[in-house]
Amino acid sequence: MSKKKFSGELALLIAIVYNSINLNLLVHGGFGISTLSSVPYVLSVAFPITSLGTWTIIIQSLTLLVMMVITRRFKIGYILSFFVAILFGYSVDLTAPLIALIPTSLPFRVLCLGVGLVGTAIGAAFFLLCKLPIQPFDLFVREVVDASKKSVHFVRMRYDGVSLTISLVVTLFFIKHLDGIGIGTVLGFLFTGKLSQIFVDFLTSRFEFTQFTKVGAFLEKIS
């Protein structure tokens, strides 16, 4: 069966906007957010000197540096990933007021949890497949998978574990109670990596991700 072509540029845009919405859905649900975003979230609560979006940019920048140390690689595309992190951070702050309009009754909160968790895995799959500079959270997984030849599930589980540990330390020492970490975080830790792999396999079985513009083709070469 021939595969349909899917725009890498569109995949990147979907991933940025969709995952910023998913992050805010999980925050609004109040059952705990994804492990990847738990670190900037608990820091935004412990040190509310700036927004969740800005803390996301800061932590993603640090993630980029750690990734380069682990993989011993540097590409020009990594610099562009920093700018993708900025776009994602701003998207988080811009979509937050829209998600705040959703009712806070229990059925809606449960819905936010379910949609947010599954959506985060879908967004991660688009990030992994777009072949363009992507936000450092997902770039870390893609580059370490490539360097180590391990599966997405293997790398994502360990990355989530480190993120969860850092978040727990911050909540216990600075917030003094669990905030942003709950059943949703545990479910994300257990299943997001596996779900991401499922969606990657599903999408690659049906689509060939390629760039539709000259700019996109150039960015793919340097990413």
Side-chain angles (χ1 to χ4, degrees):
M1 182 179 69
S2 61
K3 297 181 181 180
K4 296 181 179 179
K5 294 187 180 297
F6 198 107
S7 167
E9 298 93 335
L10 177 59
L12 177 60
L13 180 61
I14 290 172
I16 291 174
V17 176
Y18 191 39
N19 265 6
S20 65
I21 291 173
N22 291 321
L23 172 55
N24 283 307
L25 283 172
L26 292 172
V27 171
H28 191 72
F31 291 105
I33 64 175
S34 64
T35 46
L36 286 183
S37 297
S38 62
V39 176
Y41 177 76
V42 297
L43 287 171
S44 71
V45 175
F47 308 103
I49 55 176
T50 189
S51 67
L52 173 58
T54 302
W55 271 116
T56 300
I57 295 170
I58 293 170
I59 299 304
Q60 293 222 58
S61 301
L62 293 175
T63 298
L64 191 62
L65 293 175
V66 172
M67 182 200 72
M68 288 189 287
V69 171
I70 292 175
T71 62
R72 299 180 181 179
R73 294 177 176 177
F74 174 77
K75 302 176 183 177
I76 298 298
Y78 293 169
I79 298 176
L80 297 176
S81 290
F82 170 72
F83 290 102
V84 174
I86 293 176
L87 290 175
F88 179 77
Y90 280 120
S91 184
V92 168
D93 287 341
L94 287 173
T95 56
L98 298 176
I99 302 303
L101 298 176
I102 299 174
T104 56
S105 59
L106 183 58
F108 281 100
R109 291 175 58 209
V110 173
L111 181 63
C112 286
L113 171 64
V115 173
L117 286 177
V118 176
T120 297
I122 295 173
F126 277 108
F127 268 128
L128 291 167
L129 294 173
C130 71
K131 301 179 181 179
L132 292 169
I134 56 179
Q135 63 169 343
F137 282 165
D138 296 285
L139 179 67
F140 183 98
V141 176
R142 187 175 77 181
E143 292 296 286
V144 174
V145 165
D146 182 63
S148 66
K149 306 306 178 185
K150 302 292 185 180
S151 69
V152 172
H153 178 58
F154 180 91
V155 175
R156 182 64 185 258
M157 280 288 288
R158 282 147 184 80
Y159 185 28
D160 284 355
V162 172
S163 298
L164 182 57
T165 300
I166 294 173
S167 298
L168 285 171
V169 170
V170 173
T171 57
L172 292 176
F173 280 91
F174 296 100
I175 305 177
K176 306 300 182 182
H177 67 274
L178 292 180
D179 195 328
I181 299 176
I183 184 61
T185 311
V186 175
L187 291 174
F189 173 68
L190 293 175
F191 299 112
T192 300
K194 186 63 175 179
L195 282 174
S196 295
Q197 186 70 62
I198 290 172
F199 287 121
V200 165
D201 294 340
F202 174 82
L203 290 168
T204 53
S205 69
R206 289 163 174 76
F207 299 102
E208 176 186 353
F209 285 78
T210 186
Q211 312 314 322
F212 281 24
T213 66
K214 291 182 178 179
V215 173
F218 172 73
L219 292 178
E220 179 180 348
K221 288 182 180 180
I222 64 174
S223 64

